[in-house]
Amino acid sequence: MVKLVETTDEILLADTARGFLDRAAPIAHLRGLRDAGQVGDDALWGEMVAMGWAGVLVPEAKGGSDMGHAAAGILAREMGRTLATSPFLSTAVIAATALRQGMNSRSGDRLNQIASGQLRYAIALDETSKFAPTMAEMQARREGNGFRLSGTKRFVVDGAQADRLLVLARTDDGLTVFDLPADRAGITRHVTPAIDSRDVARIDLADVAATGDDVLGKVGDAMAVLAPALQAGQAALAAELSGLTSGAFGRTVGYLKERKQFGVPIGAFQTLQHRAAHLWCETEITAAAVLNAGRLLDTTPDQAELAVSLAKARATATAQLAVQEGVQMHGGIGMTDAFDMGFFMKRARVAAEWLGDYGYHAAIVARHRGF
């Protein structure tokens, strides 16, 4: 039976992460990056690397800490509380998991480089406005002993600053994952910052050369490598949304206690109390779903799909509720850029679409339930 209570070590990890992020990456830090036109902070990521976060899913033999998916979720959750921007999900979670699935001497070296902060990855999957990896149409045509890749990938999170790209393309044998340097000839990156000030890029590949050494896993068997990596990313993104929800909820409750009307705090009004209580209940249920997803990925990953999709769907819906209630309960100030709730709303909206929206994951839950 999965225990949905954090262990002592996990509580310590959360406390350490929260203290660091409150100091190094508060909301004011994100506001400063946005105002300066920056989509990332190399110094902040360097500190995270020094704390071992980049190696959370990297084997100890490759320089990582291998703490597991539940631990990765705890770190992602704490980042979500302050909306810290970093390549953690793309690099330390998704790419690290994919490289472990397609383990060979090259991927082993790259795992070591991820843990040491020498490599950043981005995952180039989406080609339309919706997440549908198995429908990828980017072509990788055979040329001698290698391939030539042509097409466009959209909504590539962390794509502008990545050193390497995991590119999903269609070969004659089926979908294949290519591990390519981001500066290879024929690759052009167009920075398109998302509304939440996160690094997002459109990537064009024009007749890009690839060899068998660039294939991660086996030709035509992309999902053997990609499916576990995507589930890891979805679970961690759900955790980030859970943290975002807690951050927004905390600010809202604080405002209800401070703002007065008719000489009393507005938190004394029963209608607002009911709405806050409902949001708290949803937050707690979602947190349990997120922890369950991480636990199953650590113990029985082949049985984790339902738990991961349930966590992502619930986290998306709960975050949306939290930011909507936050704006409404703050009244007019909640709609202004001077107030931080808008940052939470924007991040929630972007995270809702990345790696599958509510409908995508609700369909997976329904399928597992026999509908």
Side-chain angles (χ1 to χ4, degrees):
M1 183 175 180
V2 176
K3 293 184 178 180
L4 299 183
V5 178
E6 290 182 359
T7 66
T8 301
D9 287 344
E10 288 170 341
I11 292 172
L12 179 60
L13 177 64
D15 289 344
T16 301
R18 188 173 304 181
F20 166 72
L21 292 166
D22 284 345
R23 172 187 63 79
I27 303 297
H29 181 260
L30 176 61
R31 183 183 291 276
L33 291 176
R34 184 206 63 177
D35 292 347
Q38 297 177 249
V39 292
D41 185 340
D42 291 343
L44 177 62
W45 178 237
E47 289 189 75
M48 292 180 180
V49 170
M51 296 174 70
W53 294 6
V56 65
L57 295 179
V58 175
E60 292 183 14
K62 300 300 179 182
S65 57
D66 204 10
M67 289 189 287
H69 294 280
I74 288 170
L75 294 176
R77 182 190 69 200
E78 297 307 319
M79 293 182 205
R81 288 181 188 274
T82 66
L83 306 182
T85 57
S86 77
F88 178 76
L89 289 181
S90 297
T91 300
V93 176
I94 303 175
T97 302
L99 290 168
R100 291 185 71 160
Q101 295 298 316
M103 181 66 79
N104 55 37
S105 59
R106 291 180 300 278
S107 60
D109 290 341
R110 287 166 191 159
L111 281 168
N112 190 291
Q113 291 175 301
I114 284 176
S116 63
Q118 299 174 62
L119 275 185
R120 302 183 192 188
Y121 270 87
I123 317 303
L125 303 176
D126 296 339
E127 298 175 7
T128 66
S129 60
K130 288 297 181 180
F131 176 76
T134 59
M135 303 300 290
E137 294 296 335
M138 174 176 280
Q139 295 299 306
R141 71 179 189 277
R142 283 280 187 180
E143 184 177 85
N145 293 326
F147 303 86
R148 289 281 179 174
L149 281 68
S150 295
T152 297
K153 295 293 185 179
R154 307 179 189 280
F155 196 42
V156 181
V157 177
D158 301 320
Q161 300 180 86
D163 303 299
R164 299 190 68 86
L165 305 171
L166 293 183
V167 181
L168 180 63
R170 191 171 293 278
T171 65
D172 292 338
D173 300 304
L175 291 173
T176 303
V177 178
F178 293 87
D179 185 350
L180 304 175
D183 60 356
R184 179 162 290 180
I187 295 178
T188 305
R189 295 184 280 184
H190 307 273
V191 181
T192 56
I195 58 171
D196 67 340
S197 303
R198 183 175 263 165
D199 170 6
V200 174
R202 187 187 88 238
I203 299 181
D204 296 327
L205 288 84
D207 216 28
V208 175
T211 70
D213 288 342
D214 294 319
V215 174
L216 185 60
K218 297 180 180 179
V219 174
D221 196 18
M223 298 314 292
V225 167
L226 203 54
L230 291 178
Q231 287 183 14
Q234 289 157 351
L237 184 55
E240 181 181 296
L241 280 164
S242 177
L244 179 155
T245 297
S246 295
F249 179 66
R251 282 166 171 74
T252 300
V253 170
Y255 184 75
L256 295 180
K257 293 178 179 179
E258 295 172 2
R259 179 75 167 89
K260 291 185 178 181
Q261 287 185 357
F262 312 113
V264 297
I266 61 175
F269 302 157
Q270 193 174 62
T271 299
L272 297 183
Q273 289 179 350
H274 287 173
R275 289 166 64 178
H278 173 238
L279 178 54
W280 181 84
C281 291
E282 293 297 312
T283 298
E284 290 298 301
I285 295 171
T286 295
V290 168
L291 184 56
N292 181 56
R295 290 271 191 266
L296 288 180
L297 284 172
D298 284 331
T299 56
T300 54
D302 57 330
Q303 301 174 28
E305 183 183 50
L306 171 60
V308 169
S309 283
L310 178 62
K312 179 60 164 64
R314 276 208 62 92
T316 295
T318 308
Q320 186 69 17
L321 176 64
V323 296
Q324 287 177 347
E325 290 287 64
V327 169
Q328 291 181 18
M329 291 191 198
H330 279 86
I333 191 175
M335 297 294 295
T336 66
D337 183 69
F339 190 67
D340 290 339
M341 192 58 66
F343 286 95
F344 286 89
M345 177 170 280
K346 293 171 183 175
R347 179 63 57 83
R349 189 68 191 90
V350 173
E353 293 294 327
W354 192 25
L355 301 180
D357 62 11
Y358 181 90
Y360 176 91
H361 289 286
I364 293 176
V365 173
R367 172 167 54 81
H368 277 275
R369 294 302 189 196
F371 293 101

